Amino acid sequence: MPPIAASFLAGTSYLEVNGQAFPLASCTPPDIVWDVIETPSSPQARRLGPPHAGTLTIRFSPPSMPPLSKWVEELAGEQVNQHDLVVLQTDQDGKVRDSLELKGCLLIGLRFPACSATGKDAYLVEAVFMPERMAAGPVGGIVRSAAPGRVKKWVSSNFSVSVPGLPSARINQVGPIGISRKLSSERIDRHGRPEMPGARDYQPLELTVVGPDCTVWRNAALDRVARGPHDDSAEITLELRDTSLKNVLATFIIGVIGMSRFKSAASGGTEGLPTVGACFEVSSLRLKLN
């Protein structure tokens, strides 16, 4: 296989899914790895084992990647699907100058960026796939993007949060939302790779509150301390909005089992206001795109 990593460092990249090409903000193609195997009969002797692919990491704007909602459903629902993907690199005229075919890919991670009321960053999602095999693909054709024509970019500062039973208007930061699929070591194939992925794992959800609501949140945490072990299952809603803050672009429904950590108020926070942080353990995730 010819070298591939360097060819994807510049230009326009696309991910082809089911024959449709969607633009990427960035792409890190898989490494090719040969394991080093120790020979039991001679500790000093080593040899190279069979090659295998590393992980494909892509970043993209949600409006340009319609398969995203299906990926969330797949990963959060513990579905195990294999995807045949193609990473395409084009010149400024849309002509393919490099392509990489990735067969039997397992989706093993999705990461949604943090939201901050003072941030200006574009809202870019990261997806990680593990391919079963890969090969160089054909070049020379013209890529026609399947993404919607004119869409507004999402910005990480335009959001609204709702937490049942607690004031939410002064939540000014929401930590990253992450979901990954652990690789089980119980079933190993002849190449030393997991045959099937393990259970999913959610990144805890961190919320930052500023201003007078801090006291209410602290008292709620103290009430949980007084109650001891508790079950506070609930659904936290995160809405991503356009620049007018009137139109909802997407909605996350985040199931939580309760507050697992609380950071007490401190002075010197945002604009000198008191600030507290609350962390919730996530149990489920749904995404609705408008």
Side-chain angles (χ1 to χ4, degrees):
M1 182 184 299
I4 55 175
S7 64
F8 286 89
L9 294 178
T12 303
S13 298
Y14 293 85
L15 183 72
E16 188 175 284
V17 184
N18 297 327
Q20 294 185 305
F22 304 104
L24 300 175
S26 66
C27 172
T28 303
D31 294 335
I32 306 172
V33 181
W34 285 264
D35 292 328
V36 178
I37 301 174
E38 301 287 346
T39 304
S41 59
S42 175
Q44 303 301 322
R46 299 186 301 166
R47 62 182 177 85
L48 294 178
H52 60 84
T55 56
L56 167 73
T57 302
I58 57 174
R59 297 176 74 230
F60 51 85
S61 175
S64 69
M65 190 63 67
L68 175 60
S69 57
K70 291 286 187 182
W71 292 347
V72 173
E73 182 180 345
E74 173 184 336
L75 201 53
E78 294 191 81
Q79 302 174 29
V80 180
N81 299 325
Q82 288 189 302
H83 305 269
D84 290 340
L85 309 174
V86 183
V87 176
L88 303 170
Q89 182 78 6
T90 69
D91 59 20
Q92 59 184 358
D93 298 319
K95 185 176 181 180
V96 178
R97 58 184 176 88
D98 207 346
S99 72
L100 178 64
E101 297 179 348
L102 307 166
K103 302 292 185 179
C105 296
L106 293 175
L107 176 62
I108 61 172
L110 286 170
R111 186 177 186 273
F112 298 87
C115 294
S116 173
T118 59
K120 301 296 181 184
D121 295 334
Y123 194 89
L124 297 177
V125 179
E126 182 178 281
V128 182
F129 291 88
M130 174 171 283
E132 187 175 67
R133 58 192 183 279
M134 56 185 183
V139 298
I142 299 296
V143 172
R144 303 192 184 281
S145 175
R150 300 176 66 89
V151 294
K152 294 182 178 180
K153 291 183 178 180
W154 295 11
V155 182
S156 59
S157 59
N158 301 332
F159 66 95
S160 174
V161 187
S162 177
V163 181
L166 286 166
S168 308
R170 293 184 175 87
I171 295 175
N172 77 335
Q173 290 185 24
V174 179
I177 298 173
I179 176 173
S180 60
R181 180 174 279 152
K182 294 180 179 179
L183 297 178
S184 173
S185 59
E186 294 180 359
R187 296 180 59 188
I188 304 298
D189 65 15
R190 62 187 180 88
H191 300 303
R193 302 182 66 203
E195 288 186 351
M196 295 293 290
R200 68 186 186 282
D201 183 42
Y202 292 101
Q203 180 174 344
L205 179 68
E206 297 187 10
L207 305 177
T208 302
V209 185
V210 298
D213 288 346
C214 289
T215 301
V216 180
W217 279 73
R218 182 206 62 192
N219 291 346
L222 292 173
D223 175 68
R224 285 161 172 78
V225 172
R227 285 190 281 137
H230 56 276
D231 180 6
D232 283 338
S233 299
E235 288 187 341
I236 295 175
T237 301
L238 169 63
E239 292 181 342
L240 304 178
R241 303 189 177 195
D242 63 8
T243 53
S244 71
L245 299 181
K246 296 180 180 179
N247 300 313
V248 178
L249 302 173
T251 304
F252 288 95
I253 299 94
I254 308 163
V256 299
I257 63 174
M259 187 185 301
S260 58
R261 188 172 72 249
F262 182 82
K263 184 177 180 179
S264 299
S267 60
T270 302
E271 298 179 353
L273 297 173
T275 303
V276 299
C279 182
F280 293 83
E281 291 299 313
V282 176
S283 59
S284 65
L285 178 67
R286 303 197 306 275
L287 171 63
K288 297 180 181 179
L289 296 174
N290 294 344

